[in-house]
């Protein structure tokens, strides 16, 4: 089935890395399988970081290998550096994202790298990709993290984000993504950043957004992204992850609510909402101590709702 907007489910990575519970590997596989069967085209299944830093994702290589056996699923993973990229390629990931924090303070605190050092790391990643045979080479995206603002530095100058995106494209990066890591963005800011990057780098270099719902603005930003022509939106089942600083706030935007919004507007996601609600039950059962967020699943589908494909 043709789809209009590609949902990239990031719950198994962004969601699970942010909670205390460690989901057993078999439960992760069951989640990924069920969400694939519900029609999700892409799932970010883990992160290739040292297990002592993120024990929740220590089984990422195994989970990636499993996910690549699911027919038609695009298996994505996050990596912090070239070493992580090596692991992702070895496991067979088809898409790899590396976050590059637009806030240098955040970058130093998070991955202990200045902007210059992070740029060098990306060059080393590009070299590794160039040496990798085409059939094993994953799509590679640099996520412009904290592009909308930073919890440590505060506002991030928009011209800095646009300049750094252009620099990455000059280095040979095929695609960048706009990330509202801290959930501070608004739709007009998203539009300014997108138009700035498109005019500096070309439209094809930026097609995806990664949004958090920390302040309840996630779906407003997602709608703006759709209207601007973005074709990939990251979201997390049940908005897993939350935000320690904002009780009641989901982490990423909630996949169920996003799919409902898009399908109700006539935009095809390829995802069956009733099946997605069932995945939510599965995940809640596997994470009994964690709160799931969102409205669509709790309210159920409205009478006569058919979805975009019908
Ligand atoms: Zn995130």
């Amino acid at each position: 089935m043709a789809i209009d907007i590609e949902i990239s489910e990031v719950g198994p990575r962004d969601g699970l890395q942010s909670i205390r519970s460690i989901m057993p590997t078999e439960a992760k596989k069951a989640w990924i399988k069920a969400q694939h069967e519900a029609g999700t085209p892409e799932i970010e299944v883990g992160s290739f970081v040292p297990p002592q830093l993120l024990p929740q994702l220590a089984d990422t290589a195994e989970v990636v290998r499993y996910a690549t056996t699911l027919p038609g699923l695009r298996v994505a993973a996050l990596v912090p550096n070239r070493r992580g990229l090596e692991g992702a390629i070895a496991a067979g990931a088809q898409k790899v994202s590396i976050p590059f924090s637009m806030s240098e303070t955040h970058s130093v605190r998070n991955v202990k790298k200045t902007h210059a050092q992070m740029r060098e790391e990306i060059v080393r990643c590009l070299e590794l990709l160039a040496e990798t045979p085409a059939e094993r080479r994953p799509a590679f995206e640099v996520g412009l993290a904290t592009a909308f603002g930073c919890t440590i530095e505060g506002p991030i100058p928009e011209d800095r984000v646009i300049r750094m995106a252009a620099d990455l494209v000059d280095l040979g990066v095929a695609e960048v993504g706009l990330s509202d890591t801290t959930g501070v963005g608004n739709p007009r800011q998203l539009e300014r950043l997108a138009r700035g990057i498109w005019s500096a780098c070309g439209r094809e270099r930026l097609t995806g957004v990664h949004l958090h719902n920390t302040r309840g603005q996630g779906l407003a930003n997602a709608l703006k992204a759709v209207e601007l022509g973005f074709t990939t939106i990251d979201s997390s089942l049940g908005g897993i992850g939350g935000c320690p600083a904002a009780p009641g706030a989901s982490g990423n935007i909630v996949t169920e609510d996003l799919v409902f919004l898009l399908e109700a507007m006539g935009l095809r996601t390829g995802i069956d909402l009733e099946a997605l609600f069932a995945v939510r039950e599965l995940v809640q059962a596997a994470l009994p101590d964690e709160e799931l967020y969102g409205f669509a699943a709790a309210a159920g589908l409205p009478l006569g709702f058919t979805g975009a494909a019908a």
Side-chain angles (χ1 to χ4, degrees):
M1 183 180 68
I3 62 174
D4 300 306
I5 301 292
E6 189 163 281
I7 303 287
S8 180
E9 169 64 49
V10 299
R13 195 279 301 171
D14 210 349
L16 293 184
Q17 80 171 36
S18 312
I19 60 176
R20 217 182 290 253
S21 312
I22 297 183
M23 186 183 266
T25 307
E26 291 312 309
K28 290 186 186 180
K29 291 179 181 175
W31 173 5
I32 292 161
K33 178 171 189 286
Q35 200 157 339
H36 162 64
E37 287 170 355
T40 309
E42 178 175 301
I43 305 179
E44 190 171 77
V45 303
S47 181
F48 286 87
V49 290
Q52 61 273 23
L53 291 182
L54 275 182
Q56 301 97 318
L57 304 182
D59 55 3
T60 291
E62 181 181 349
V63 176
V64 167
R65 280 194 297 271
Y66 167 75
T68 58
T69 66
L70 300 171
L73 178 66
R74 194 161 193 239
V75 182
L78 195 116
V79 304
N81 49 34
R82 175 174 164 136
R83 193 186 175 90
L85 179 60
E86 287 168 6
I89 293 171
Q94 292 143 351
K95 179 179 171 182
V96 172
S97 300
I98 184 168
F100 188 173
S101 187
M102 300 293 95
S103 156
E104 189 155 28
T105 321
H106 182 262
S107 183
V108 169
R109 291 232 191 137
N110 240 14
V111 292
K112 299 185 175 58
K113 285 194 175 68
T114 63
H115 276 169
Q117 289 167 327
M118 196 60 212
R119 190 176 181 276
E120 269 310 298
E121 195 68 40
I122 288 166
V123 169
R124 284 195 286 273
C125 287
L126 292 171
E127 288 165 358
L128 174 60
L129 290 163
E131 295 160 10
T132 305
E135 67 276 11
R136 292 178 49 228
R137 188 186 307 141
F140 183 70
E141 179 189 282
V142 177
L144 307 172
T146 67
F148 294 77
C150 171
T151 48
I152 311 164
E153 275 189 29
I156 299 295
E158 290 169 15
D159 59 350
R160 182 201 296 172
V161 178
I162 295 163
R163 178 169 36 81
M164 288 176 72
D167 175 57
L168 290 165
V169 168
D170 285 345
L171 284 179
V173 170
E175 186 151 2
V176 295
L178 262 182
S179 293
D180 186 9
T181 313
T182 57
V184 295
N186 67 72
R188 292 191 176 178
Q189 181 184 22
L190 190 152
E191 177 163 12
R192 286 192 303 272
L193 285 169
R195 291 198 190 284
I197 292 171
W198 284 334
S199 75
C201 309
R203 261 194 107 95
E204 73 283 4
R205 302 297 183 188
L206 170 65
T207 62
V209 279
H210 177 91
L211 301 166
H212 281 242
N213 197 41
T214 318
R215 290 167 181 79
Q217 314 301 303
L219 285 186
N221 290 331
L223 176 61
K224 172 56 80 177
V226 167
E227 291 185 344
L228 286 169
F230 279 84
T231 52
T232 302
I233 304 179
D234 292 1
S235 63
S236 169
L237 189 87
I240 293 174
C243 175
S250 66
N252 297 98
I253 53 174
V254 176
T255 303
E256 303 90 304
D257 293 0
L258 175 65
V259 171
F260 179 71
L261 172 70
L262 297 173
E263 292 281 334
M265 290 196 301
L267 295 166
R268 293 165 299 178
T269 63
I271 298 176
D272 179 311
L273 268 167
E274 296 282 12
L276 195 63
F277 294 164
V279 183
R280 181 184 170 101
E281 304 290 318
L282 187 81
V283 170
Q284 181 71 82
L287 294 172
D289 299 329
E290 301 296 336
E291 185 177 358
L292 299 193
Y293 304 88
F295 297 96
L301 294 178
L303 183 65
F305 182 84
T306 53

